[in-house]
Coordinates of all heavy atoms in Angstrom, one line a residue:
P634 N 20.4 -15.8 -9.1 CA 19.9 -16.1 -10.4 C 18.6 -17.0 -10.4 O 17.8 -16.9 -11.3 CB 21.0 -16.8 -11.1 CG 21.9 -17.3 -10.0 CD 21.8 -16.3 -9.0
A635 N 18.5 -17.8 -9.3 CA 17.3 -18.6 -9.2 C 16.0 -17.9 -9.1 O 15.0 -18.3 -9.4 CB 17.5 -19.6 -8.1
Y636 N 16.2 -16.6 -8.6 CA 15.0 -15.8 -8.3 C 14.8 -14.8 -9.4 O 13.8 -14.0 -9.3 CB 15.1 -15.1 -7.0 CG 14.9 -16.0 -5.8 CD1 16.1 -16.5 -5.2 CD2 13.7 -16.3 -5.3 CE1 15.9 -17.4 -4.1 CE2 13.5 -17.1 -4.2 CZ 14.6 -17.7 -3.6 OH 14.5 -18.5 -2.6
D637 N 15.6 -14.8 -10.5 CA 15.5 -13.9 -11.6 C 14.3 -14.2 -12.5 O 14.3 -15.3 -13.1 CB 16.8 -13.9 -12.3 CG 16.8 -12.7 -13.4 OD1 15.8 -12.0 -13.5 OD2 17.9 -12.6 -14.0
L638 N 13.3 -13.3 -12.6 CA 12.2 -13.6 -13.5 C 12.2 -12.8 -14.8 O 11.2 -12.6 -15.5 CB 10.9 -13.3 -12.7 CG 10.6 -14.1 -11.5 CD1 9.3 -13.7 -10.9 CD2 10.7 -15.6 -11.7
T639 N 13.4 -12.2 -15.1 CA 13.6 -11.4 -16.3 C 13.1 -12.2 -17.5 O 13.5 -13.4 -17.7 CB 15.0 -11.0 -16.5 OG1 15.4 -10.2 -15.3 CG2 15.2 -10.2 -17.7
G640 N 12.3 -11.6 -18.4 CA 11.8 -12.2 -19.6 C 10.6 -13.1 -19.4 O 10.1 -13.7 -20.3
R641 N 10.0 -13.1 -18.2 CA 8.9 -13.9 -17.9 C 7.6 -13.0 -17.7 O 7.7 -11.8 -17.3 CB 9.1 -14.8 -16.7 CG 10.3 -15.7 -16.8 CD 10.5 -16.7 -15.7 NE 11.8 -17.3 -15.7 CZ 12.2 -18.3 -14.9 NH1 11.3 -18.8 -14.0 NH2 13.4 -18.8 -15.0
T642 N 6.5 -13.6 -17.9 CA 5.2 -12.9 -17.7 C 4.4 -13.5 -16.6 O 4.3 -14.7 -16.5 CB 4.4 -13.0 -19.0 OG1 5.1 -12.4 -20.1 CG2 3.0 -12.3 -18.9
A643 N 4.0 -12.6 -15.7 CA 3.3 -13.0 -14.5 C 1.9 -12.4 -14.5 O 1.7 -11.2 -14.9 CB 4.0 -12.7 -13.2
F644 N 0.9 -13.1 -14.0 CA -0.5 -12.6 -13.9 C -0.9 -12.7 -12.4 O -0.7 -13.8 -11.8 CB -1.4 -13.4 -14.8 CG -2.7 -12.8 -15.1 CD1 -3.0 -12.2 -16.3 CD2 -3.8 -12.8 -14.1 CE1 -4.2 -11.6 -16.6 CE2 -5.0 -12.2 -14.4 CZ -5.2 -11.6 -15.6
V645 N -1.3 -11.6 -11.8 CA -1.7 -11.6 -10.4 C -3.1 -11.1 -10.3 O -3.5 -10.0 -10.7 CB -0.8 -10.6 -9.6 CG1 -1.1 -10.6 -8.2 CG2 0.7 -11.0 -9.8
T646 N -4.0 -11.9 -9.7 CA -5.3 -11.5 -9.4 C -5.4 -10.9 -8.0 O -4.5 -11.2 -7.1 CB -6.3 -12.7 -9.4 OG1 -6.1 -13.6 -8.4 CG2 -6.2 -13.4 -10.8
G647 N -6.3 -10.0 -7.7 CA -6.4 -9.3 -6.4 C -5.3 -8.4 -6.2 O -4.8 -8.1 -5.1
A648 N -4.8 -7.8 -7.4 CA -3.6 -7.0 -7.3 C -3.8 -5.5 -6.9 O -2.9 -4.7 -6.8 CB -3.0 -7.0 -8.7
A649 N -5.0 -5.1 -6.6 CA -5.3 -3.7 -6.3 C -4.9 -3.3 -4.9 O -4.8 -2.1 -4.6 CB -6.8 -3.4 -6.5
S650 N -4.6 -4.3 -4.0 CA -4.3 -3.9 -2.6 C -3.7 -5.2 -1.9 O -3.6 -6.3 -2.5 CB -5.5 -3.5 -1.8 OG -6.5 -4.5 -1.7
G651 N -3.2 -4.9 -0.7 CA -2.8 -6.0 0.2 C -1.8 -7.0 -0.4 O -0.8 -6.6 -1.0
I652 N -2.0 -8.3 -0.2 CA -1.1 -9.3 -0.7 C -0.9 -9.3 -2.2 O 0.2 -9.4 -2.7 CB -1.5 -10.7 -0.2 CG1 -1.5 -10.8 1.3 CG2 -0.7 -11.8 -0.8 CD1 -2.1 -12.0 1.9
G653 N -2.0 -9.1 -2.9 CA -1.9 -9.0 -4.4 C -1.0 -7.9 -4.9 O -0.2 -8.1 -5.8
R654 N -1.2 -6.7 -4.3 CA -0.3 -5.6 -4.6 C 1.2 -5.8 -4.3 O 2.0 -5.6 -5.1 CB -0.8 -4.3 -3.9 CG 0.2 -3.1 -4.1 CD -0.3 -1.8 -3.5 NE -1.5 -1.3 -4.3 CZ -2.2 -0.2 -4.0 NH1 -1.9 0.4 -2.9 NH2 -3.1 0.2 -4.8
A655 N 1.4 -6.3 -3.1 CA 2.8 -6.6 -2.7 C 3.4 -7.7 -3.6 O 4.6 -7.6 -4.0 CB 2.8 -7.1 -1.3
T656 N 2.6 -8.7 -4.0 CA 3.1 -9.7 -4.9 C 3.4 -9.2 -6.3 O 4.5 -9.5 -6.9 CB 2.0 -10.8 -5.1 OG1 1.8 -11.4 -3.8 CG2 2.4 -11.9 -6.1
A657 N 2.5 -8.3 -6.9 CA 2.8 -7.7 -8.2 C 4.1 -6.9 -8.1 O 4.9 -7.0 -9.1 CB 1.6 -6.9 -8.6
R658 N 4.3 -6.1 -7.1 CA 5.5 -5.3 -7.0 C 6.7 -6.2 -6.9 O 7.7 -5.9 -7.6 CB 5.4 -4.4 -5.8 CG 4.3 -3.3 -5.8 CD 4.2 -2.5 -4.6 NE 5.4 -1.7 -4.3 CZ 5.6 -1.1 -3.2 NH1 4.7 -1.1 -2.2 NH2 6.7 -0.4 -3.1
L659 N 6.7 -7.2 -6.1 CA 7.9 -8.0 -5.9 C 8.2 -8.8 -7.2 O 9.4 -9.0 -7.5 CB 7.7 -8.9 -4.7 CG 9.0 -9.6 -4.3 CD1 10.1 -8.6 -3.9 CD2 8.8 -10.5 -3.1
L660 N 7.2 -9.4 -7.8 CA 7.5 -10.1 -9.1 C 8.1 -9.2 -10.1 O 9.0 -9.6 -10.9 CB 6.2 -10.8 -9.6 CG 5.6 -11.9 -8.7 CD1 4.3 -12.4 -9.3 CD2 6.6 -13.0 -8.4
A661 N 7.6 -8.0 -10.2 CA 8.2 -7.0 -11.1 C 9.6 -6.6 -10.7 O 10.5 -6.5 -11.6 CB 7.3 -5.7 -11.2
Q662 N 9.8 -6.5 -9.4 CA 11.2 -6.2 -8.9 C 12.1 -7.3 -9.4 O 13.3 -7.1 -9.6 CB 11.2 -6.1 -7.4 CG 10.7 -4.8 -6.9 CD 11.7 -3.6 -7.0 OE1 12.9 -3.9 -7.0 NE2 11.2 -2.4 -7.1
A663 N 11.6 -8.6 -9.4 CA 12.5 -9.7 -9.8 C 12.6 -9.8 -11.3 O 13.3 -10.7 -11.8 CB 11.9 -11.0 -9.3
G664 N 11.9 -8.9 -12.1 CA 12.2 -8.8 -13.5 C 11.0 -9.2 -14.4 O 11.1 -9.1 -15.6
A665 N 9.9 -9.7 -13.8 CA 8.8 -10.1 -14.6 C 7.9 -9.0 -15.1 O 7.9 -7.9 -14.5 CB 7.8 -11.0 -13.8
V666 N 7.3 -9.1 -16.3 CA 6.3 -8.2 -16.8 C 5.0 -8.7 -16.1 O 4.6 -9.9 -16.2 CB 6.1 -8.3 -18.3 CG1 4.9 -7.5 -18.7 CG2 7.4 -7.8 -19.0
V667 N 4.4 -7.8 -15.3 CA 3.3 -8.2 -14.5 C 1.9 -7.7 -15.0 O 1.8 -6.5 -15.3 CB 3.5 -7.7 -13.0 CG1 2.3 -8.1 -12.1 CG2 4.8 -8.2 -12.5
H668 N 1.0 -8.6 -15.1 CA -0.4 -8.3 -15.5 C -1.2 -8.3 -14.2 O -1.3 -9.3 -13.5 CB -0.9 -9.2 -16.5 CG -0.3 -9.0 -17.9 ND1 -0.9 -8.4 -18.9 CD2 0.9 -9.4 -18.3 CE1 -0.2 -8.4 -19.9 NE2 1.0 -9.0 -19.6
C669 N -1.8 -7.2 -13.9 CA -2.6 -7.0 -12.6 C -4.1 -7.0 -12.8 O -4.6 -6.2 -13.6 CB -2.2 -5.7 -11.9 SG -0.4 -5.5 -11.7
A670 N -4.8 -7.9 -12.2 CA -6.2 -8.0 -12.3 C -6.9 -7.7 -11.0 O -6.5 -8.2 -9.9 CB -6.6 -9.3 -12.9
D671 N -8.0 -7.0 -11.0 CA -8.8 -6.8 -9.9 C -10.1 -6.0 -10.3 O -10.1 -5.4 -11.4 CB -8.1 -5.9 -8.8 CG -8.6 -6.0 -7.4 OD1 -9.8 -5.6 -7.2 OD2 -7.9 -6.6 -6.6
R672 N -11.2 -6.1 -9.5 CA -12.4 -5.3 -9.9 C -12.2 -3.9 -9.4 O -13.1 -3.0 -9.8 CB -13.6 -6.0 -9.3 CG -13.6 -6.0 -7.7 CD -14.9 -6.7 -7.3 NE -15.0 -6.7 -5.8 CZ -16.1 -7.2 -5.2 NH1 -17.1 -7.7 -5.8 NH2 -16.1 -7.2 -3.8
D673 N -11.3 -3.6 -8.6 CA -11.0 -2.2 -8.1 C -10.1 -1.5 -9.1 O -8.9 -1.6 -9.0 CB -10.4 -2.3 -6.7 CG -10.0 -0.9 -6.1 OD1 -10.3 0.1 -6.8 OD2 -9.5 -0.8 -5.0
E674 N -10.7 -0.8 -10.0 CA -9.9 -0.2 -11.1 C -8.9 0.9 -10.5 O -7.8 1.1 -11.0 CB -10.8 0.4 -12.1 CG -10.0 0.9 -13.4 CD -11.0 1.2 -14.5 OE1 -12.2 1.0 -14.4 OE2 -10.5 1.6 -15.6
H675 N -9.4 1.7 -9.5 CA -8.6 2.7 -8.9 C -7.3 2.1 -8.3 O -6.2 2.6 -8.4 CB -9.3 3.6 -8.0 CG -8.5 4.6 -7.3 ND1 -8.1 5.8 -7.9 CD2 -8.1 4.7 -6.0 CE1 -7.4 6.5 -7.1 NE2 -7.4 5.9 -5.9
G676 N -7.6 1.0 -7.5 CA -6.5 0.4 -6.8 C -5.5 -0.2 -7.8 O -4.3 -0.2 -7.6
L677 N -6.0 -0.8 -8.9 CA -5.2 -1.3 -10.0 C -4.2 -0.2 -10.5 O -3.0 -0.5 -10.7 CB -6.0 -1.9 -11.1 CG -6.5 -3.3 -11.0 CD1 -7.2 -3.7 -12.3 CD2 -5.4 -4.3 -10.8
K678 N -4.8 0.9 -10.8 CA -3.9 2.0 -11.3 C -2.8 2.4 -10.3 O -1.7 2.7 -10.7 CB -4.8 3.2 -11.6 CG -5.7 3.0 -12.8 CD -6.6 4.2 -13.1 CE -7.5 4.0 -14.3 NZ -8.4 5.1 -14.6
E679 N -3.2 2.4 -9.0 CA -2.2 2.7 -8.0 C -1.1 1.7 -8.0 O 0.1 2.0 -7.8 CB -2.9 2.8 -6.6 CG -3.7 4.0 -6.5 CD -4.3 4.1 -5.1 OE1 -4.3 3.1 -4.3 OE2 -4.7 5.2 -4.6
T680 N -1.5 0.4 -8.1 CA -0.5 -0.7 -8.1 C 0.4 -0.6 -9.3 O 1.7 -0.7 -9.2 CB -1.2 -2.1 -8.1 OG1 -1.9 -2.2 -6.9 CG2 -0.1 -3.2 -8.2
A681 N -0.2 -0.3 -10.5 CA 0.6 -0.2 -11.7 C 1.6 1.0 -11.6 O 2.8 0.9 -12.0 CB -0.3 0.0 -12.9
A682 N 1.1 2.1 -11.0 CA 2.0 3.2 -10.8 C 3.2 2.9 -9.9 O 4.3 3.4 -10.1 CB 1.2 4.4 -10.2

Side-chain angles (χ1 to χ4, degrees):
Y636 288 94
D637 188 357
L638 300 182
T639 300
R641 303 187 192 185
T642 300
F644 198 102
V645 182
T646 70
S650 64
I652 293 171
R654 172 176 287 177
T656 296
R658 292 176 66 187
L659 191 60
L660 295 181
Q662 283 280 333
V666 172
V667 180
H668 288 257
C669 305
D671 202 293
R672 64 181 182 178
D673 177 2
E674 189 167 359
H675 177 71
L677 273 184
K678 291 179 179 178
E679 289 183 340
T680 298

